[in-house]
Amino acid sequence: MAVIHELSPHLADLIAAGEVVERPSSVAKELVENAIDAGSTRITVEIENGGITYLRIADNGCGMSAEDAPVAFRRHATSKLRTEEDLNAIGTLGFRGEALAAISSVTRIDLFTRQAGSIAGLHLHLEASEIQTQEEAGCPEGTTIVVRDLFFNTPARMKFLKKDFTEAGYILGVVQHAALSHPEIAFTLIRDGKQVFSSDGKGKLIAPVFGVFGKEMTANMIEVPMTERNGMTVHGYIVKPHAGRANRSMQHFFVNGRYVKSRLMQAAMEEAYRNAIITGKYPSGALFLDLPLSAVDVNVHPAKTEVKFSQEKPIFEVVYIACKNALAANDNMPHLEHKEKEAPAKPREDNLTHEQQRFAIPKPVDPKPFVTPSVKPTPIAPVKNDEEAPDLEDFLVSIPPKAERPRSASSYLSAPRILQEEPQEPVRTRMAQPVTEPTPAVHTSAPEPEDEPMVVVPSVSAPEVKSKPQILQPLDTGVRVIGECFQTYIIAEDKDGLILIDKHAAHERILFNKLRAETDMPQQQLLTPVIVELTGEEAAAVQSQIEDIRQAGFAIDSFGENSFAVRSVPAYLDSGDVQSVISELAEKAMNSRTTVPDRLDDLIHTVACKAAIKAGKPTTMTELQDLCERVLSDDNVRSCPHGRPTTVRLTKYELDKMFKRVNQ
């Protein structure tokens, strides 16, 4: 039988380090929490090479005495717990006394600490938990810990680390969470000699919220006022329903000042948005829950990111009520900002650098408005209560033509044929789609959609116009398109029965096959670059796979901290979907463990899904016929990239059985 023996202290420390120290961000999290517990008002984090070779945490807290500092690196040595009863009400971020021992066992550490009022401080140098140097030193009040060469004595664990930029993004997330939970502390993060994040520490939550979520998202946020219920309070900031994101990466939850991952709080917040947010979108925000220490257990996870509540229903109720009341008190309507028309650009005299000139794209020149000889456009003025609304035809004439924009995905299916004769006098009008039925009289009291393009068509006298219903000819495949139902499914028939086609799934598969077969991805240049703002972790994931994203048809480059400039997109993608597509690609890149070819297919799949015809959107009969023929003539379009079927057949025999025309 095996002999049972006690492990050596060093081996026990290495095992503990496997639970506590996973990557540089784990080290930063433990040391930042210690700095917060020490009563600091200013904390600086500096890293090099993603924190793998160099990580410095400096604070102005209480510091340690010369007697306590060496003891702090022993296992289960802590100043935050005394008795068993203290475990029932943990009010500090750290309490186990394992962090410093675990970190020192796999790194080289230099500690500088001095208490207030002390003449000299203390310097300790440790390697693999062994104190090599202990001496007096001159240092500022507080504690500074420098961690070098992570996993230098356990090189096998180095292969599990990611690129420096990715690891730095994880550390940025740690600092941002600490800044959100403690707005009264000034945080600074320096990466490779450059400051990438800072908070003022003035105690106002909106300051770190702005630094974490960015300008655009913060502008769409509403404050959740302090809500108290059953001895618990909730406050924070959440986004308006129209500003939902494609993933949950911007949901931050805090319990008694500790960042946690709570499915309970997540479900409560999302329930408050029910029937108010677009399907497939998720709310974002930062919510802070404060409750009695005895009502929550934080000692249930090695990383202390998961907590257990003694009663879950009251937690759900207070979070739900706080978010619901905040949404109900706000109008939740997007606000359009009026921007003054700028003067024509003058010759450049600002000596921009080459990097700045790359993104300094000149503004497009507005086309001259079209004016008919008989009607003179007049400036639009506010309408008073006692005035009548302007005539619709006069108003349409005064509208300048829209600038040419990239064609939508549906326009790549087929182009409408021109049926008009030579013009007599050009007149401005609107054409939505090819006429399939006799056009009824148009009432000027109902405004037409604003997104329909303005075109010039010939004017003809009323007696010469003869509208006839469009005759649907059978396709080359012997299938006749009848129409569509629910603006989602194409209905067609052949000699054997009915065929139902999911137009979104089918078009998505067609685009996916086409994009995957392209050697050079077709692109369309954007008039102005789209600036995409991401979180630190998302930006790190995008940066790590930026070449794959470029192969998928995007011209994308880094544009400041956690931002990217997209100058061109795949030809089938609408420019309005750029933000959501890049966010979705970032989420997949964060969780992707597949090989490079599979990853590229995943990126192409995301582009095809966004560019395909949307279910619930109207589609012209010409496009339905074209799409139907493409689907039925290609055996590779029988399922979408998700695996869902694109076509369903209902045979004539089954129909006859339903109507009792044949024997069962």
Side-chain angles (χ1 to χ4, degrees):
M1 295 179 63
V3 179
I4 300 175
H5 61 275
E6 186 178 359
L7 297 177
S8 65
H10 178 63
L11 183 56
D13 288 341
L14 290 178
I15 295 175
E19 297 180 353
V20 178
V21 184
E22 181 183 4
R23 54 184 2 105
S25 60
S26 305
V27 178
K29 175 181 178 295
E30 298 293 342
L31 298 182
V32 167
E33 288 181 351
N34 286 344
I36 294 174
D37 290 337
S40 306
T41 60
R42 186 178 66 255
I43 299 176
T44 301
V45 181
E46 183 179 1
I47 61 174
E48 293 180 3
N49 300 325
I52 300 174
T53 60
Y54 183 85
L55 171 63
R56 180 176 69 91
I57 311 290
D59 65 71
N60 62 345
C62 62
M64 292 181 284
S65 65
E67 295 79 15
D68 290 340
V71 180
F73 291 92
R74 300 176 187 173
R75 289 197 67 189
H76 307 304
T78 179
S79 62
K80 301 163 187 177
L81 290 180
R82 295 294 181 184
T83 63
E84 296 179 3
E85 289 73 16
D86 293 340
L87 284 173
N88 297 326
I90 299 175
T92 55
L93 298 177
F95 54 88
R96 293 174 181 160
E98 291 184 343
L100 289 179
I103 295 171
S104 63
S105 64
V106 292
T107 60
R108 297 184 175 95
I109 287 184
D110 284 285
L111 169 70
F112 299 88
T113 183
R114 181 168 72 90
Q115 291 181 318
S118 299
I119 299 177
L122 177 69
H123 169 225
L124 290 179
H125 177 72
L126 298 88
E127 292 189 7
S129 298
E130 298 294 332
I131 298 179
Q132 306 291 331
T133 304
Q134 181 175 349
E135 59 186 1
E136 287 187 351
C139 55
E141 292 182 2
T143 302
T144 300
I145 296 182
V146 180
V147 180
R148 294 184 175 91
D149 304 328
L150 181 63
F151 301 140
F152 79 98
N153 55 348
T154 54
R157 295 174 63 181
M158 289 289 294
K159 63 183 179 182
F160 297 101
L161 298 180
K162 298 183 179 180
K163 295 182 180 180
D164 295 352
F165 192 88
T166 304
E167 297 295 342
Y170 293 147
I171 295 178
L172 175 60
V174 169
V175 177
Q176 289 178 339
H177 292 152
L180 285 172
S181 60
H182 294 83
E184 73 281 0
I185 301 178
F187 287 89
T188 303
L189 174 61
I190 302 172
R191 185 182 68 195
D192 297 326
K194 180 181 178 181
Q195 178 177 307
V196 296
F197 179 82
S198 65
S199 61
D200 55 14
K202 294 182 179 180
K204 294 184 178 181
L205 181 58
I206 189 62
V209 165
F210 184 88
V212 172
F213 290 91
K215 178 181 178 181
E216 182 177 353
M217 185 172 290
T218 304
N220 289 316
M221 278 189 161
I222 55 179
E223 183 179 5
V224 179
M226 187 72 68
T227 303
E228 185 175 0
R229 183 182 175 88
N230 298 327
M232 298 171 290
T233 60
V234 172
H235 70 283
Y237 283 88
I238 57 177
V239 296
K240 298 179 180 179
H242 71 269
R245 288 172 56 88
N247 53 60
R248 297 185 175 96
S249 61
M250 296 295 279
Q251 295 181 358
H252 305 282
F253 302 104
F254 301 85
V255 176
N256 291 338
R258 181 192 304 274
Y259 170 72
V260 299
K261 298 177 181 178
S262 174
R263 292 185 179 272
L264 179 65
M265 297 179 67
Q266 171 188 305
M269 182 175 72
E270 293 183 0
E271 183 65 22
Y273 281 82
R274 181 182 292 274
N275 299 327
I277 196 170
I278 301 175
T279 303
K281 299 291 185 179
Y282 301 96
S284 304
L287 290 179
F288 301 83
L289 171 66
D290 293 302
L291 71 167
L293 300 178
S294 58
V296 58
D297 184 6
V298 300
N299 191 24
V300 296
H301 192 273
K304 296 175 288 188
T305 56
E306 297 180 6
V307 296
K308 186 176 181 63
F309 300 106
S310 59
Q311 293 183 340
E312 294 187 346
K313 185 177 180 181
I315 304 296
F316 185 94
E317 289 179 351
V318 68
V319 175
Y320 172 79
I321 292 174
C323 295
K324 194 71 174 179
N325 290 342
L327 293 173
N330 194 273
D331 58 4
N332 299 323
M333 183 179 297
H335 295 278
L336 301 178
E337 297 182 0
H338 174 71
K339 296 182 179 180
E340 297 293 338
K341 188 175 181 180
E342 299 182 3
K346 297 180 180 180
R348 182 170 294 166
E349 299 177 356
D350 46 10
N351 298 323
L352 292 179
T353 64
H354 176 71
E355 186 68 15
Q356 291 171 326
Q357 292 180 11
R358 288 177 58 196
F359 300 102
I361 299 178
K363 295 183 178 296
V365 180
D366 293 337
K368 296 182 179 180
F370 180 89
V371 182
T372 58
S374 59
V375 181
K376 182 178 181 181
T378 57
I380 300 176
V383 180
K384 300 181 181 180
N385 295 333
D386 55 350
E387 295 179 353
E388 295 183 357
D391 185 71
L392 180 61
E393 295 183 358
D394 294 341
F395 177 72
L396 293 180
V397 171
S398 65
I399 298 179
K402 291 186 178 179
E404 184 178 356
R405 59 184 181 182
R407 298 173 64 184
S408 63
S410 60
S411 64
Y412 280 84
L413 291 175
S414 60
R417 288 171 291 183
I418 300 176
L419 304 177
Q420 287 80 7
E421 300 177 355
E422 290 297 323
Q424 298 176 359
E425 290 183 12
V427 178
R428 297 193 61 79
T429 183
R430 290 177 178 265
M431 175 175 289
Q433 61 185 36
V435 178
T436 58
E437 297 179 358
T439 305
V442 179
H443 301 281
T444 57
S445 59
E448 299 181 22
E450 296 179 359
D451 56 350
E452 296 174 359
M454 299 293 295
V455 297
V456 178
V457 298
S459 64
V460 293
S461 59
E464 297 177 359
V465 177
K466 296 182 180 180
S467 300
K468 296 182 180 180
Q470 182 178 354
I471 300 176
L472 303 179
Q473 299 295 334
L475 304 175
D476 295 338
T477 56
V479 177
R480 184 174 71 92
V481 176
I482 300 174
E484 66 174 337
C485 62
F486 310 118
Q487 294 185 335
T488 302
Y489 304 103
I490 303 174
I491 305 176
E493 69 168 352
D494 60 3
K495 60 184 180 62
D496 297 324
L498 291 178
I499 301 173
L500 301 179
I501 301 175
D502 186 333
K503 65 180 182 181
H504 171 76
H507 194 203
E508 179 183 353
R509 185 69 189 199
I510 291 173
L511 292 178
F512 178 81
N513 294 344
K514 182 176 179 61
L515 291 174
R516 190 167 57 173
E518 294 282 353
T519 54
D520 295 327
M521 198 68 65
Q523 294 183 345
Q524 60 176 350
Q525 189 79 19
L526 298 179
L527 196 59
T528 57
V530 175
I531 306 302
V532 180
E533 296 185 4
L534 304 173
T535 64
E537 297 176 356
E538 288 178 335
V542 170
Q543 188 66 38
S544 66
Q545 297 190 14
I546 195 168
E547 292 301 326
D548 293 338
I549 296 176
R550 287 169 178 165
Q551 291 183 38
F554 292 87
I556 181 172
D557 291 292
S558 179
F559 188 72
E561 285 301 321
N562 306 328
S563 299
F564 293 85
V566 180
R567 298 191 304 277
S568 62
V569 297
Y572 309 98
L573 190 66
D574 188 79
S575 60
D577 293 329
V578 173
Q579 173 73 44
S580 61
V581 170
I582 298 299
S583 297
E584 188 172 342
L585 295 181
E587 183 184 23
K588 291 183 177 181
M590 291 167 59
N591 303 322
S592 177
R593 297 182 179 179
T594 58
T595 58
V596 173
D598 294 334
R599 221 164 43 221
L600 184 58
D601 279 357
D602 201 26
L603 300 179
I604 295 175
H605 175 205
T606 301
V607 174
C609 183
K610 294 293 184 182
I613 299 174
K614 301 298 186 294
K617 299 294 184 181
T619 309
T620 66
M621 187 59 68
T622 305
E623 292 171 338
L624 294 178
Q625 290 193 15
D626 193 3
L627 180 58
C628 181
E629 185 163 15
R630 290 178 182 226
V631 173
L632 298 180
S633 61
D634 189 353
D635 293 335
N636 294 325
V637 193
R638 291 297 176 261
S639 65
C640 75
H642 296 97
R644 294 188 292 106
T646 59
T647 59
V648 175
R649 177 181 289 275
L650 184 60
T651 64
K652 183 178 183 297
Y653 177 77
E654 292 294 333
L655 284 172
D656 291 340
K657 284 176 58 177
M658 293 178 185
F659 289 95
K660 310 300 182 182
R661 286 179 169 269
V662 295
N663 294 329
Q664 299 296 324

